[in-house]
Amino acid sequence: MVPADNGVRGRAAGAVRAFVFATMAGSALAAAGATPAVGAGSEEPPRVAVQAPAGGAAAVMPRAVLDRYCVTCHNDRLRTGGLSLAAGAVDTADPSRHADVWEKVIAKLRTGAMPPPGRPRPGEATYDAVAGRLEADIDRAAAAGPNPGRTSTVHRLNRTEYRNAIRDLFALDLDVTPLLPGDETSDTGFDNNADVLSISTAQLERYLSAARTVTRLATGLEPTGPGFETFDVPLLLLQDERQSEDLPLGSRGGVAVPYHFPVDGDYLIKIELRANWQDYILGMGSAHQLDVRIDGELVERLTVGGDAPGRPAPVTFTIAERGDPEWEAYLQSADERLEVRVPVGAGPRTVSVSFVRNVWEPEGILKPRQAGEVLSNDEAYHGNAAVSAVAIGGPYAVTGPGDTPSRQAIFTCRPETAAPADERACATEIVSRLARRAYRRPVTHADMDTLLGFFDSGREDGGGFDAGVQLALERMLVDPDFLLRMERDPAGAAPGEPYRLSDVEVASRLSFFLWGSIPDEPLLDAAEQGGLTDPAELDAQVRRMLADPRARSLIDDFAVQWLHLRNLEDVTGDPVPFPDFDDNLVEAFREETTLFLASTLREDRSVLDLLDADYTFVNERLARHYGIPGIYGSRFRRVALPDREQRGGLLGHGGLLALTSYPTRTSPVLRGKWLLDTILGAPPPSPPADVPALPERGDGGRTTSVRERLERHRQAPACATCHASIDPPGFALEQFDGLGAWRTADEFGNPIDATATMPNGRTVAGMAGLRALLLERPEQFAGTVTEKLLSYALGRGLEHIDRPTVRAVVRDAAADDYRWSALIAGIVKSPAFLMRNAAAD
């Protein structure tokens, strides 16, 4: 909801809601109508390059191979797996007639998954020849008549895209997660899939409220009253060292909080310290100095602890014996006065709270590190205090809107006088410029009439020029042309037939693919001039955009979802098998993989380096976990890997190994499924609903290995087929424990067996063997990356009609060693990206 401001803005805010609800449905319906597309004409559609398979594949007779090895099960009578490959069911002479069936067959042939183990199998050369012959025939037909598929007509911006668009429009980087409805993740693994990005009336109310919050913050309007926002520090984050690069050298613990102060004024910063589960604040037996800083400048140094009155409870026995009442009260309230009120200028700043680090060596017997229930009971009376949360409240005593980056980005002009004509002229300049980028197209007179009408309402309600601009921008952010990415079929398009997208539509696709955000001025200029889809111009724009810092979206959004890195927040280690687990390790896992991925994109390396790189990024915590010596401090740095048998590429990243494990042990099944889905591009089917859990021990309580227990599980016929393809890749990673540390024995002391027989009959030994096997056929991994990139770029799941596009991109990129830029450029120039099928009806 958009509430009124002290009764002044109720009428204007209500007008936003009424206008948006009235137009949203109409715009969505019009998107499927007959609006001419810019640039649509009689140009030839882009073609897919086709390359004949190598060797003697052209002479191979697929029918003979199928009849010998496949039709025994896949015939008209048995139809195993719901599939018949008999001569009367599918055509081998013209595979394009049944391309949906043959693409499934090709996938099984390329991974060696069929025939199943134990059945007669052809040689590797025959697999390649048959698959190559089928692919060449299908690709030739696809090149003659491209089928780009049909993306959804209406595609709502997800939360990440909305945040990035606000950043690029208003120079305002704001976490919009609490403001907007959540995004579902589709079966493709990406949350930008149009099929799960519908919009409802309830969701629109959230967007209305978010638009008001964002635009008031961006324009510097005074909040209706002070507010408080609390930033919690994870409970299992150890605070014995410097926490981040945003905190000063010589500090310990604490947190650095990026915060946008809405206006110039006084703000209250309040610190809460960590306590055990009986609410005793930790470390109060000693004095601690606590620094509060804004943008690195010291605001105040507070002292807490060391002066507790009365007799304390026996150390670590607070649950059994209490101390004096005054001591008890102090330990539960020592942080009540840890607050600072300070004047702060409006804009984005970093608020940091950290302890002054005292370097000393404790005397006495070295105690083992505590974890689990023992840690939650201990008040660590003479240990380190830790920050639990930082709250920022305000503003109080407001002195003005300030000169923020947001106001500089919005108010590119000021009216010469307070006359309505002067103010409207300046507002027209501001609103037209921002609306062009927000709507991702040229603005029309109707657009401006609507937005300036809201400017007039805001100005006339007593808020003045700034308030009028704010209301116009609020209306802009709830317009369907901002919230929805709409692709309209051109007038006269034949039902179900492909047509070229307009240059403006391609600009939007391109910016959301590479930046997860709206097009910038150069991209819009090229599109509006009609030259964007010229091959040379398109290449130049792709190179420019990949060099822009906003291309980091390909890592933070695409790669993080592709590799399931968002699941790291669910990773935990049971304190019994993993007493060293803490949230510092999880944060290090995340940072290692994102820095590694970013380096390959920034340096435009081959995607094969994702598997075969000889370097990674570590700080002291992660280096200790990996056994890499000589690394100190919280700063991440690039290091050469000392042992390529243990680390190298994504397969050795602890975070990916941890998120495919259970809290107490490894899981070859989870790791195998992850590898099949994300690395091999052959996701296994979903398990049946009644699969029993794997027992924690063997028969009679024997301490058997996970491999032995899984082998017994696979004796059930219903389980054997799927596990034959899932388990082997997971077994190859068994030398990494549940948190990704290298090991030679499991939790019971059993020697690790990391050999695995893959579905194609090849045997590999450990991570190094699995990596070598994957690199033998580089086009397969490059194909998996291309599939994921294409699905993300189009915002839809891939179908069999997209397989020729994937193969063409991979073939063309081979000459450039499968570099990121080669794969991305191939996707951007493909018919699937530049074209779209008209609605069938």
Side-chain angles (χ1 to χ4, degrees), residues 205-369:
E205 287 284 358
R206 297 282 297 276
Y207 279 102
L208 286 162
S209 179
R212 184 158 188 265
T213 299
V214 167
T215 54
R216 287 184 64 84
L217 195 61
T219 54
L221 294 192
E222 183 177 344
T224 55
F228 257 92
E229 189 170 0
T230 301
F231 302 88
D232 293 319
V233 180
L235 179 62
L236 294 181
L237 191 73
L238 292 184
Q239 298 187 33
D240 297 336
E241 307 287 342
R242 183 185 180 212
Q243 292 299 106
S244 78
E245 295 300 300
D246 292 323
L247 295 171
L249 293 170
S251 68
R252 174 189 66 77
V255 64
V257 176
Y259 187 77
H260 191 99
F261 291 89
V263 292
D264 293 348
D266 289 355
Y267 292 85
L268 186 67
I269 302 172
K270 185 172 178 59
I271 301 105
E272 180 181 337
L273 299 182
R274 186 176 293 171
N276 67 3
W277 76 276
Q278 294 100 359
D279 292 330
Y280 288 93
I281 297 173
L282 305 181
M284 290 298 98
S286 306
H288 305 275
Q289 292 180 312
L290 190 62
D291 286 353
V292 179
R293 298 173 184 267
I294 296 178
D295 287 343
E297 292 189 12
L298 182 65
V299 172
E300 189 159 343
R301 175 167 289 175
L302 307 169
T303 300
V304 63
D307 57 351
R311 179 185 60 82
V315 174
T316 74
F317 283 91
T318 49
I319 190 173
E321 182 178 342
R322 300 175 67 84
D324 287 347
E326 58 269 28
W327 182 89
E328 295 277 337
Y330 179 85
L331 249 66
Q332 297 185 30
S333 62
D335 60 356
E336 286 185 354
R337 297 183 182 276
L338 291 181
E339 59 185 40
V340 177
R341 178 163 171 162
V342 59
V344 185
R349 306 194 181 279
T350 299
V351 178
S352 63
V353 175
S354 59
F355 296 95
V356 176
R357 183 179 182 184
N358 294 315
V359 181
W360 53 278
E361 189 70 23
E363 297 180 350
I365 299 173
L366 182 63
K367 297 180 180 179
R369 178 175 163 185

Side-chain angles (χ1 to χ4, degrees), residues 381-399:
Y381 189 53
H382 292 291
N384 284 331
V387 174
S388 176
V390 174
I392 302 174
Y396 309 97
V398 176
T399 58

